Amino acid sequence: MTTTITTPGATGTPSTPGTTGASARWREKYDHLFEAFWEHPFLAGLRDGTLAPEKVLHYVGQDHQYLTAFMRCYGLGAAASPDRDWIGFFTDQTNFLLHDETHPHHVMCDAVGVSYAEAQVERLAPSAQAYVNHMMAAAHDSLGVLMAALLPCPWTYIWAGTRLLAEAPPGPDNPFAGWWEFYGSPDCQGLLDEFCRRLDVLAAEAGPAELARMEAAFELSCHHETRFWQMAWSRETW
């Protein structure tokens, strides 16, 4: 059974399975970073449907490249996996990115009347590249550090989606409603629950030094998530 906990600023919103693992502790400790993610004007524009087309397209192009790198990190996780169960986990996560998480990208492109192909870019912006570099470095540490670096990406989005659907679901006039419905779906919450469960197992088995690196990787990724919004908001380039 999944135990639902609540966090400041997200009353009634599912957060993580259990209340005593590392993921729950870090979620509480770094709640201010989740709130910074929520308050960023890019996400606010998705909430009220007013986000400018040029910012939407900059985000989609960058996120497509970022998620490609994310899948490569999953591949490195599979290579470091101790057994087939873990390999299966990373395979399932990769398939989700390949076949499911393109949907919110298509929602955004449809909202601004541009095809998904037209939104593609060849090069990551500086902030997006820095985030990818951080994840790749984590992938060459331990499986626990990798999982900790990867977790804030799905967690912030799924938390935001479930929060908005619980507090003020977007109306039919919001062109980004499908984006929120995707990340606020039970399927995405199930993905997050499993991710947290596995991280908690690795954290419980880690020694003090590795656990400290895991937490540092998690915190840095939380910062990178908000920086990714800012990258899209400012249409950052080299």
Side-chain angles (χ1 to χ4, degrees), residues 22 29 33 60 67 89 93 96 125 160 170 186 226:
K29 183 175 180 179
L33 299 181
V60 171
L67 291 179
F89 168 76
Q93 300 306 308
F96 177 82
T226 301

Side-chain angles (χ1 to χ4, degrees), residues 41-78:
F42 188 95
L43 193 60
L46 289 178
R47 285 199 296 273
D48 63 19
T50 63
L51 191 61
E54 63 271 16
K55 299 180 189 297
V56 172
L57 294 178
H58 194 69
Y59 168 82
V60 171
Q62 291 295 313
D63 201 46
H64 176 85
Q65 289 283 0
Y66 165 81
L67 291 179
T68 299
F70 210 95
M71 285 186 278
R72 293 192 176 104
C73 288
Y74 279 152
L76 293 170

Side-chain angles (χ1 to χ4, degrees), residues 115-182:
S115 72
Y116 194 28
E118 291 178 278
Q120 302 311 311
V121 297
E122 295 182 356
R123 188 178 188 185
L124 285 165
S127 293
Q129 185 66 64
Y131 197 175
V132 168
N133 292 348
H134 162 60
M135 295 191 304
M136 286 294 180
H140 289 89
D141 190 318
S142 69
L143 188 59
V145 174
L146 172 61
M147 288 287 286
L150 297 181
L151 177 56
C153 178
W155 203 342
T156 50
Y157 280 62
I158 295 167
W159 167 75
T162 54
R163 175 174 177 174
L164 188 70
L165 293 186
E167 294 180 355
D173 58 332
N174 186 329
F176 307 114
W179 190 95
W180 291 101
E181 290 163 358
F182 176 85

Side-chain angles (χ1 to χ4, degrees), residues 2 4-16 27 34-35 37-38 43 47 153-170 177-193:
T2 298
T4 299
I5 67 172
T6 58
T7 55
T11 302
T13 301
S15 179
T16 179
R27 175 63 186 86
F34 277 68
E35 289 298 324
F37 177 92
W38 174 262
L43 193 60
R47 285 199 296 273
C153 178
W155 203 342
T156 50
Y157 280 62
I158 295 167
W159 167 75
T162 54
R163 175 174 177 174
L164 188 70
L165 293 186
E167 294 180 355
W179 190 95
W180 291 101
E181 290 163 358
F182 176 85
Y183 287 112
S185 69
D187 286 345
C188 280
Q189 183 63 45
L191 179 152
L192 174 59
D193 291 346

